Amino acid sequence: MAAPEPPRGARPWRGVIEEYRSWLPVDADTPVVSLGEGGTPLVRSAWLSELTRGEVHLKVEGDNPTGSFKDRGMTAAISVAVAEGAKAVVCASTGNTSASMTAYAARAGLTPIVLVPHGRIAAGKMAQAVMHGAEVIQVRGGFDECLQISRGLADSYPVALVNSVNPVRLQGQKTAAFEIVDVLGAAPDLHLLPVGNAGNISAYWIGFREYAEAGLAASTPRLWGFQAAGAAPIVRGEPVPDPDTVATAIRIGNPASWRLAEAARDESGGRIDAVTDEQILTAQRELGSRDGVFVEPASAAGVAGLVAAVQAGEVDPGLTITITVTGHGLKDTETALRGVDSIVDSVIDADVEAAAEVAGLA
């Protein structure tokens, strides 16, 4: 029996560079290093839509190849690095950047060098870097010290720096804003997301603004960013020497894209606020149990911020709201299971009636 014909005009998703090539700093000679990133789902949240009396959608970036939004920027940064003749790449990372960089470096045949802060790094993220063949160097200090060393290596040695201080990273990450407008047919009224090193909020603003300027959207959204209360330098107006939060992906005391984030906030008429670890973990659990979307703690910061804003009476009804959830929950299962006595609720013999009884069906 012959295979059925695909729908007329159907084609697979090609990755963000091929899908949005004319919007990105690449040319016909740029070797595209891709893992098929982008094209992530925009999932309607019935829970948050009811809570806000509006329409709320989650941009689920954990569905990218290495499990976080970082892949959007990394395909662009690594492709350009290869075009410029790089043989090695370096990044400072609390986990997701290293997972992404090392995957794309492996794909491109580059040597990946990862600098990570000493202690409290999610093992799931580091497992990815190790499996991708990274040279992992742990630094006695935090993310900011790691980034300082990474900059020094890039300045003095033949190695490309691919943290979000690399502007090509932000160009790749802006494509998530394009996808939101492409799917909704218009820009949302509000877009919310976590803020750590602050590159992503900057990238979204670039994307929303470029689509509006090109006439592909009639408006731009207000951007609301949320830091963890223990790592909220932008909210406090000064660097945090020893940032502390369970949300490891945003445990950053001196964001590299600080000024760009403030510009995105101000130009969009938005805000950058802080949420507590308790609010973050509650939002993480609610997303999993209500919407079936399992995210790492940092990813829930935007959701926590929206819930807090609704409770404070700061969200008008009837709005279209999108929220970026940045990384998959499998990145940090240890935190997700903290406080859970056992992942097994009951132990029974192989008996249907016994199963029905403990499940509350009998």
Side-chain angles (χ1 to χ4, degrees):
M1 180 178 177
E5 290 290 328
R8 186 170 298 172
R11 60 171 175 77
W13 179 263
R14 299 171 297 172
V16 300
I17 291 180
E18 295 298 353
E19 295 292 335
Y20 295 106
R21 177 178 283 272
S22 64
W23 298 87
L24 297 171
V26 297
D27 57 33
D29 297 324
T30 303
V32 176
V33 182
S34 175
L35 289 165
E37 62 292 315
T40 56
L42 195 63
V43 177
R44 182 180 183 274
S45 170
W47 162 48
L48 293 171
S49 295
E50 181 179 358
L51 185 70
T52 61
R53 291 181 292 163
E55 284 294 314
V56 181
H57 292 81
L58 307 169
K59 185 61 170 163
V60 185
E61 289 291 88
D63 281 14
N64 275 297
T66 74
S68 86
F69 75 97
K70 304 285 187 176
D71 294 346
R72 293 180 180 276
M74 209 58 71
T75 182
I78 296 292
S79 295
V80 170
V82 171
E84 293 176 347
K87 301 301 180 185
V89 285
V90 65
C91 73
S93 180
T94 56
N96 283 329
T97 299
S98 66
S100 183
M101 182 198 78
T102 55
Y104 284 83
R107 185 87 168 167
L110 302 177
T111 298
I113 304 166
V114 177
L115 291 103
V116 299
H118 185 263
R120 294 197 300 172
I121 297 299
K125 300 175 186 180
M126 294 316 303
Q128 291 177 278
V130 170
M131 294 305 294
H132 296 148
E135 177 71 29
V136 180
I137 303 170
Q138 193 168 73
V139 176
R140 294 186 184 92
F143 173 86
D144 304 304
E145 287 76 20
C146 292
L147 182 56
Q148 181 181 3
I149 295 172
S150 297
R151 288 179 188 267
L153 289 174
D155 288 342
S156 303
Y157 298 90
V159 56
L161 176 63
V162 294
N163 278 100
S164 59
V165 294
N166 181 334
V168 179
R169 276 275 309 276
L170 302 190
Q171 289 294 307
Q173 287 167 215
K174 74 182 180 184
T175 60
F178 295 165
E179 290 178 21
I180 288 171
V181 177
D182 289 343
V183 171
L184 292 179
D189 299 302
L190 281 178
H191 184 77
L192 292 79
L193 71 173
V195 174
N197 212 28
N200 214 26
I201 189 172
S202 312
Y204 271 81
W205 182 236
I206 294 170
F208 284 127
R209 193 180 65 238
E210 286 185 356
Y211 251 34
E213 291 170 351
L216 296 176
S219 62
T220 56
R222 289 172 286 152
L223 299 186
W224 287 8
F226 294 92
Q227 299 187 294
I234 298 177
V235 177
R236 291 171 52 170
E238 61 183 3
V240 177
D242 298 301
D244 184 27
T245 171
V246 296
T248 58
I250 55 174
R251 188 189 291 146
I252 296 170
N254 190 13
S257 299
W258 187 323
R259 301 306 171 204
L260 290 175
E262 288 184 325
R265 175 197 64 193
D266 297 343
E267 291 171 15
S268 72
R271 59 198 276 193
I272 296 177
D273 290 324
V275 287
T276 66
D277 280 3
E278 182 181 358
Q279 289 173 307
I280 288 171
L281 293 176
T282 298
Q284 180 193 32
R285 289 191 296 270
E286 293 293 307
L287 274 177
S289 62
R290 291 176 179 267
D291 285 325
V293 176
F294 181 28
V295 302
E296 64 172 308
S299 297
V303 175
L306 179 62
V307 172
V310 170
Q311 292 170 345
E314 298 169 346
V315 180
D316 295 330
L319 299 180
T320 297
I321 301 169
T322 52
I323 310 175
T324 296
V325 288
T326 46
H328 202 287
L330 292 176
K331 294 278 191 173
D332 186 2
T333 56
E334 182 179 348
T335 300
L337 294 175
R338 190 176 299 164
V340 176
D341 294 331
S342 173
I343 60 173
V344 177
D345 293 318
S346 305
V347 178
I348 64 169
D349 292 327
D351 181 80
V352 172
E353 285 72 20
E357 183 177 350
V358 298
L361 299 176

